[in-house]
């Protein structure tokens, strides 16, 4: 809920339906939003574009709530013959017998871990001081950061 209604819908759809590829997730989120609007007789969220869903998934990945799963799907005979004819014509095409697709899953454990973040902050402050608490707070707010970005954000916070 900290990330807003749209991100909440996406996380809820992944938790409810399990691992989904981007297009199935897009359809599921729009279906859930429409059902929710009908049941509550409100028009809370309009139909979401694929770009909005993709950006929301990226945000959830950055905060370690969602992870990506690689799936290999066997090619059909027709797809194999198309790949072979494309490579015979000099075009670059994969000649393997499988297609790689990507799907996304939400970790309920990591979502529940976010409820403990205030305790993490208190522990960092009590054990290591307010400077360590600042580091932990920035990591919680921004998700994964390189050390350079983290140091820049900490320095900016300290100036204020």
């Amino acid at each position: 809920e900290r990330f807003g209604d749209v991100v909440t819908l996406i996380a809820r759809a992944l938790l409810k339906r399990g691992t989904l590829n981007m297009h199935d997730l897009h359809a599921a989120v729009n279906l859930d939003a429409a059902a929710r609007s009908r049941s509550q007789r409100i028009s809370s969220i309009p139909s979401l574009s694929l770009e909005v869903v993709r950006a929301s998934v990226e945000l959830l990945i950055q905060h370690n709530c969602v992870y990506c799963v690689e799936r290999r799907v066997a090619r059909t005979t027709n797809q194999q013959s198309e790949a072979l004819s494309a490579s015979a014509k000099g075009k670059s095409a994969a000649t393997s017998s499988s297609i790689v697709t990507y799907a996304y899953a939400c970790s309920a454990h990591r979502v529940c871990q976010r409820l403990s973040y205030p305790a993490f902050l208190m522990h960092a402050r009590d054990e290591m001081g307010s400077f360590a608490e600042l580091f932990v707070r920035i990591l919680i707010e921004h998700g994964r950061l390189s050390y350079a970005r983290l140091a820049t954000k900490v320095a900016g916070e300290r100036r204020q």
Side-chain angles (χ1 to χ4, degrees), residues 63-64 110 113-122 136 140:
H63 285 273
N64 292 324
R110 292 219 172 127
Q113 246 181 351
R114 295 190 66 79
L115 299 173
S116 300
Y117 284 174
F120 295 166
L121 289 172
M122 284 187 345
V136 173
I140 288 171

Side-chain angles (χ1 to χ4, degrees), residues 132-143:
E133 179 189 14
L134 178 62
F135 269 85
V136 173
R137 184 176 56 79
I138 288 174
L139 282 172
I140 288 171
E141 288 175 2
H142 297 283

Side-chain angles (χ1 to χ4, degrees), residues 43-58:
S43 59
S44 59
I45 297 177
S47 179
L48 299 175
S49 69
L50 187 59
E51 291 79 24
V52 170
V53 173
R54 184 173 285 124
S56 299
V57 168
E58 287 174 6

Side-chain angles (χ1 to χ4, degrees), residues 15-135:
L15 286 168
K16 188 169 131 183
R17 290 184 170 82
T19 306
L20 297 172
N21 66 32
M22 188 60 69
H23 292 285
D24 291 343
L25 177 59
H26 177 243
V29 166
N30 283 322
L31 187 67
D32 288 351
R36 194 169 185 199
S37 295
R38 281 193 308 270
S39 69
Q40 296 177 357
R41 291 188 173 88
I42 56 170
S43 59
S44 59
I45 297 177
S47 179
L48 299 175
S49 69
L50 187 59
E51 291 79 24
V52 170
V53 173
R54 184 173 285 124
S56 299
V57 168
E58 287 174 6
L59 176 75
L60 288 166
I61 289 171
Q62 182 178 0
H63 285 273
N64 292 324
C65 294
V66 167
Y67 56 94
C68 184
V69 178
E70 184 178 291
R71 291 180 173 171
R72 295 194 179 272
V73 179
R75 289 185 187 220
T76 63
T77 307
N78 190 25
Q79 289 171 329
Q80 288 175 354
S81 63
E82 287 174 7
L84 290 173
S85 67
S87 63
K89 293 178 184 175
K91 296 178 182 174
S92 63
T95 57
S96 67
S97 62
S98 64
I99 299 172
V100 177
T101 62
Y102 298 95
Y104 303 92
C106 189
S107 170
H109 174 71
R110 292 219 172 127
V111 171
C112 290
Q113 246 181 351
R114 295 190 66 79
L115 299 173
S116 300
Y117 284 174
F120 295 166
L121 289 172
M122 284 187 345
H123 181 72
R125 184 185 64 231
D126 294 345
E127 295 294 320
M128 297 172 277
S130 61
F131 193 60
E133 179 189 14
L134 178 62
F135 269 85

